[in-house]
Amino acid sequence: MSTSSDQVATLSGLSAAELRGAGELAARFPLTPNAEPATAASHAEIMGDLTFGVAHTDHMVRAAWTPQEGWHGHRTEAYGPLTLSPAAAVLHYGQEIFEGLKAYRHADGSVWTFRPGFNAARFAASARRLAMPPLPEEDFVGSLAALVAADERWVPDAEGSSLYLRPLMIATEPFLGVRAAHQMEYLVIASPVGPYFAHGFEPVSIWVAQDYHRVGPGGLGAAKTGGNYAASLLPQQDAYDKGFEQVCFLDAATSTQLEELGGMNVFVVDADGTVRTPALTGTILEGGTRSSILQLLRDAGRTVREETIVLSELLDQIRSGEVAETFACGTAAVITPIGRLAGEGFDVTVADGRPGPVTTELYTALTDIQLGRRADPHDWMYRIV
Ligand code: COI
């Protein structure tokens, strides 16, 4: 596999300035309010103790697709269980895609989301790879706006908290033959969350999986689909059992190059200030946070390289001090310093196990933009409420 500085970002999506207003797009998903929303007491209890991905809000968004009708039945309704045939294709062949975004409460009470056009474009790209019908990008953004407007009381305002939005598409056709299904359902659910890692902005320890791969060349690695995460679960569990918080995967072709963690991209900061991340070779998910970090670094005039990162070279560079910091990033995890990198036969500490200055500066810049505390020159923030 070549060094791939020519393999640059493929997704950008519509910026906030190019999207129609949230009210207009949300109206595409009319609301039938939940007749039994959470009580004020249960809402207060949940919002007072936010852990990642546990709670859900009062509503969800839905739409359905068939070849005859296209996308139809757009609506916002009470959150609740789905009725699904046990023969539904998603349950057998994993024809499924999803996304992850957050809605942030700003100091003036307004609610915003970050680069929804990017996630809309990635959702459409994932759909194409999984032989599913792409959802029009403004319907995707409208669905987020409709859900956040219906569930506005669930957008927290505590530092480090947000309303996590989880759009997904599943193949619902009851058919056991192996082919692309002819019935789909699109859903969005939401969950008020605190930091993905309970300890917040503190370094995590990473186990590098050498016996397992997440994806292979020509596979689903560039798509956000459940199977890639399923492939990460056993190595992730092994990593936990060894006392590590996350697992890092190497490329399947040579088992020598860093790809990504179970659900996050990875970056390396050299002592000379250059920042590097594995190039998008088709086996790595193009993260919105990854893309935004690259832009912030370029804005700041730093040298940035998307290229092959060979594990053995990285270990030498960490030991010699040529590499000063490493960090992971994703919507859920934001930017998380990596303090320790270990695998069979090696165990190295990075930046003395503390958050490094470049990692900290990026975390501050990104979260300041997301929380409306600094200028947003690329029109990343999209106002919903
Ligand atoms: C995200 O960062 O939003 C992700 O999708 C990663 C993980 C929680 C699945």
Side-chain angles (χ1 to χ4, degrees), residues 195-285:
Y196 187 77
F197 294 107
H199 51 58
F201 186 70
E202 283 297 319
V204 289
S205 54
I206 304 286
W207 179 262
V208 180
Q210 285 150 301
D211 297 335
Y212 296 105
H213 295 287
R214 178 183 158 272
V215 300
L220 299 177
K224 198 160 177 73
T225 182
N228 294 339
Y229 295 80
S232 78
L233 299 179
L234 179 61
Q236 174 70 53
Q237 191 175 303
D238 285 353
Y240 279 140
D241 293 346
K242 291 185 173 78
F244 292 82
E245 285 159 285
Q246 278 288 315
V247 65
C248 177
F249 292 98
L250 302 175
D251 72 294
T254 70
S255 265
T256 58
Q257 301 162 11
L258 257 64
E259 290 211 318
E260 61 176 276
L261 310 189
M264 291 161 229
N265 294 122
V266 63
F267 278 78
V268 168
V269 183
D270 293 336
D272 70 4
T274 301
V275 182
R276 299 181 282 140
T277 191
L280 301 173
T281 54
T283 53
I284 293 174
L285 185 74

Side-chain angles (χ1 to χ4, degrees), residues 7-304:
Q7 287 173 297
V8 293
T10 58
L11 299 169
S12 60
L14 296 171
S15 75
E18 292 165 313
L19 285 165
R20 265 176 264 232
E24 186 182 343
L25 294 183
R28 299 180 183 189
F29 293 83
L31 170 67
T32 303
N34 186 337
E36 292 180 39
T39 61
S42 114
H43 173 264
E45 190 183 336
I46 291 168
M47 298 299 268
D49 182 20
L50 293 175
T51 41
F52 187 89
V54 177
H56 62 78
T57 61
D58 296 314
H59 297 92
M60 62 184 183
V61 158
R62 301 179 76 163
W65 178 91
T66 62
Q68 297 76 26
E69 297 168 284
W71 284 107
H72 62 279
H74 302 57
R75 62 199 188 277
T76 308
E77 62 184 31
Y79 180 96
L82 305 178
T83 301
L84 205 58
S85 164
V90 62
L91 302 177
H92 303 271
Y93 308 125
Q95 199 183 8
E96 183 270 356
I97 57 172
F98 69 97
E99 272 302 325
L101 304 90
K102 285 174 171 170
Y104 306 88
R105 173 93 57 197
H106 286 187
D108 64 359
S110 59
V111 179
W112 303 68
T113 189
F114 180 73
R115 300 190 70 182
F118 178 94
N119 295 80
R122 191 172 66 181
F123 197 60
S126 297
R128 283 189 284 273
R129 179 61 184 87
L130 272 286
M132 301 176 96
L135 183 75
E137 294 180 17
E138 285 198 319
D139 278 5
F140 178 93
V141 177
S143 69
L144 310 177
L147 186 58
V148 173
D151 282 334
E152 199 217 314
R153 70 176 178 143
W154 292 99
V155 184
D157 57 11
E159 185 76 35
S161 68
S162 57
L163 182 65
Y164 186 74
L165 304 171
R166 173 52 64 84
L168 63 149
M169 193 196 302
I170 56 174
T172 51
E173 185 186 5
F175 177 60
L176 297 182
V178 181
R179 60 146 168 75
H182 294 163
Q183 286 173 24
M184 302 287 162
E185 174 108 12
Y186 171 68
L187 297 132
V188 191
I189 58 172
S191 175
V193 298
Y196 187 77
F197 294 107
H199 51 58
F201 186 70
E202 283 297 319
V204 289
S205 54
I206 304 286
W207 179 262
V208 180
Q210 285 150 301
D211 297 335
Y212 296 105
H213 295 287
R214 178 183 158 272
V215 300
L220 299 177
K224 198 160 177 73
T225 182
N228 294 339
Y229 295 80
S232 78
L233 299 179
L234 179 61
Q236 174 70 53
Q237 191 175 303
D238 285 353
Y240 279 140
D241 293 346
K242 291 185 173 78
F244 292 82
E245 285 159 285
Q246 278 288 315
V247 65
C248 177
F249 292 98
L250 302 175
D251 72 294
T254 70
S255 265
T256 58
Q257 301 162 11
L258 257 64
E259 290 211 318
E260 61 176 276
L261 310 189
M264 291 161 229
N265 294 122
V266 63
F267 278 78
V268 168
V269 183
D270 293 336
D272 70 4
T274 301
V275 182
R276 299 181 282 140
T277 191
L280 301 173
T281 54
T283 53
I284 293 174
L285 185 74
E286 183 173 351
T289 310
R290 174 190 185 279
S291 151
S292 307
I293 288 169
L294 290 172
Q295 185 65 56
L296 290 174
L297 290 165
R298 289 182 177 122
D299 290 351
R302 278 190 189 271
T303 304
V304 179

